[in-house]
Amino acid sequence: MDVGLASMVYNQAQVKQQASMSVMKTAMDGAEQNADALNKMLEGANESQKLATDPHRGRNIDMKI
């Protein structure tokens, strides 16, 4: 096998691996952002649920005439 050809094949393999890693990193970053958004949404739902399950809230009001 020619040294120049072997070098070219090796370099193509490196480029392919770097491209694959770049795509994987982008996908992982997107998944992390989605997970963060989901966690924030669930935290907000928990706060709403705490208010909804408190039976004493909103039962009495203060009025001055």
Side-chain angles (χ1 to χ4, degrees):
M1 184 183 254
D2 187 19
V3 174
L5 180 63
S7 175
M8 190 170 70
V9 169
Y10 176 74
N11 286 334
Q12 285 178 347
Q14 278 186 325
V15 168
K16 191 182 276 189
Q17 183 179 13
Q18 288 172 351
S20 177
M21 293 296 285
S22 178
V23 169
M24 185 182 300
K25 183 176 179 348
T26 302
M28 288 176 61
D29 289 344
E32 185 177 359
Q33 289 175 356
N34 288 340
D36 289 342
L38 182 61
N39 284 335
K40 286 180 183 177
M41 185 174 64
L42 289 174
E43 287 173 4
N46 286 338
E47 291 299 319
S48 297
Q49 186 179 13
K50 286 178 186 176
L51 294 176
T53 58
D54 189 1
H56 303 293
R57 288 190 188 259
R59 206 174 268 203
N60 299 324
I61 58 171
D62 294 332
M63 291 181 55
K64 293 184 180 180
I65 299 177

